[in-house]
Amino acid sequence: REAATAKYIQQNTKIPTPRVLYYSDFSDVGPFIIIERVENKSTLSHALTTPGVDRSITHALDPNISQTTLEDLCLKVANIIFELSRHKFTRIGSLLEADDGSFSVGGRPITQNMSDMLQLANIPSAIFSPEYKTFQSSDEYYLNLARGHLVQLIFQHNDLVKSADDCRNKYVARQLFRQLAKQGRLSTFGFAEDDWSALARTKTSKLLPAPSNSDSFRLYGDDFRPGNILINDANEV
């Protein structure tokens, strides 16, 4: 799925990405991807952080960075996001590549939260939706997310709650999210059609209409952050 997405972006956008040379699900070491090396100076995080600070600690925006540099880097990232937003799909899921080189949404969505649940919380993979399950509407996907949130509360034994009150609050929040997903309200939250939330009762500016609930899904990476963006000597991303 990662390799197919990388190849799709390389072939269908102007976003500079490393070329995928080969990938497979089957080897003695498990699934793998071989990609070309990208020469770089550092990551975007390092370009934005205070100079001279230990790179192993959390990044903080350099207070002395010039407005011109900041705007230039932000514009380049915005252009990448704009490129990604131009590609629409009729289902929610992950991309797969066919033998003829075509791409389609054929696998379940892969999220950072799912990865953390598997690696850090030791939650069994059988809990997730089937490997090739995709979703035809955002409401359907929100309901699946609600199920995953409850599963995490049940299975994760460490570092999830701090007290009985904290556990109760997180349980109630997950049930409320699940109820709103069942009612189809989450797909309109924050948009012009939102007539139910507290935000809707206090909004003072005109909101955009909600996107289609069934045929306008875009490429999205929930770990797309400065630390995962490489830059060269000319500060090109």
Side-chain angles (χ1 to χ4, degrees):
R1 288 154 175 77
E2 292 178 56
T5 304
K7 291 184 70 174
Y8 179 89
I9 292 173
Q10 183 185 42
Q11 294 176 19
N12 295 278
T13 76
K14 298 179 182 178
I15 300 171
T17 55
R19 187 162 55 97
V20 177
L21 304 176
Y22 191 76
Y23 67 93
S24 175
D25 284 333
F26 308 102
S27 76
D28 293 339
V29 295
F32 69 92
I33 306 174
I34 300 176
I35 61 176
E36 66 178 343
R37 171 178 168 77
V38 177
E39 296 296 336
N40 66 91
K41 179 177 68 174
S42 63
T43 68
L44 183 57
S45 287
H46 293 136
L48 296 173
T49 198
T50 304
V53 175
D54 185 351
R55 289 193 172 195
S56 65
I57 67 174
T58 302
H59 293 284
L61 180 64
D62 179 6
N64 298 316
I65 192 171
S66 73
Q67 188 70 19
T68 300
T69 299
L70 187 60
E71 289 180 356
D72 178 62
L73 291 173
C74 289
L75 179 60
K76 289 171 180 175
V77 175
N79 285 333
I80 292 175
I81 297 173
F82 177 70
E83 277 276 334
L84 292 176
S85 72
R86 296 173 61 186
H87 300 268
K88 301 180 181 180
F89 302 89
T90 57
R91 299 187 70 84
I92 297 175
S94 54
L95 289 177
L96 296 178
E97 183 182 15
D99 292 338
D100 62 0
S102 61
F103 301 92
S104 64
V105 178
R108 67 185 173 201
I110 305 296
T111 66
Q112 185 67 37
N113 187 57
M114 286 175 60
S115 177
D116 289 343
M117 288 168 69
L118 284 170
Q119 298 181 48
L120 306 179
N122 201 32
I123 294 174
S125 59
I127 292 299
F128 299 119
S129 56
E131 185 176 358
Y132 296 102
K133 169 68 176 176
T134 61
F135 301 90
Q136 65 179 359
S137 71
S138 51
D139 288 327
E140 183 184 3
Y141 180 56
Y142 280 132
L143 193 57
N144 178 73
L145 284 180
R147 178 175 175 271
H149 294 160
L150 284 168
V151 163
Q152 183 182 18
L153 195 63
I154 294 170
F155 281 89
Q156 184 171 340
H157 296 164
N158 301 317
D159 303 321
L160 183 64
V161 298
K162 298 178 180 179
S163 65
D165 285 341
D166 184 41
C167 183
R168 188 178 300 108
N169 289 339
K170 287 178 177 177
Y171 175 77
V172 170
R174 282 160 167 75
Q175 290 291 5
L176 289 173
F177 184 93
R178 183 168 176 263
Q179 181 180 348
L180 291 172
K182 279 187 172 182
Q183 296 171 352
R185 291 184 170 187
L186 295 178
S187 57
T188 62
F189 176 71
F191 293 99
E193 291 81 358
D194 178 4
D195 59 1
W196 60 271
S197 71
L199 176 67
R201 292 193 293 271
T202 59
K203 63 186 179 185
T204 57
S205 58
K206 187 176 181 180
L207 300 177
L208 295 173
S212 170
N213 195 23
S214 60
D215 63 357
S216 63
F217 306 118
R218 317 300 173 97
L219 286 171
Y220 180 78
D222 58 2
D223 198 26
F224 182 56
R225 53 191 171 87
N228 287 334
I229 301 174
L230 301 178
I231 63 173
N232 59 20
D233 291 333
N235 277 349
E236 294 175 340
V237 301

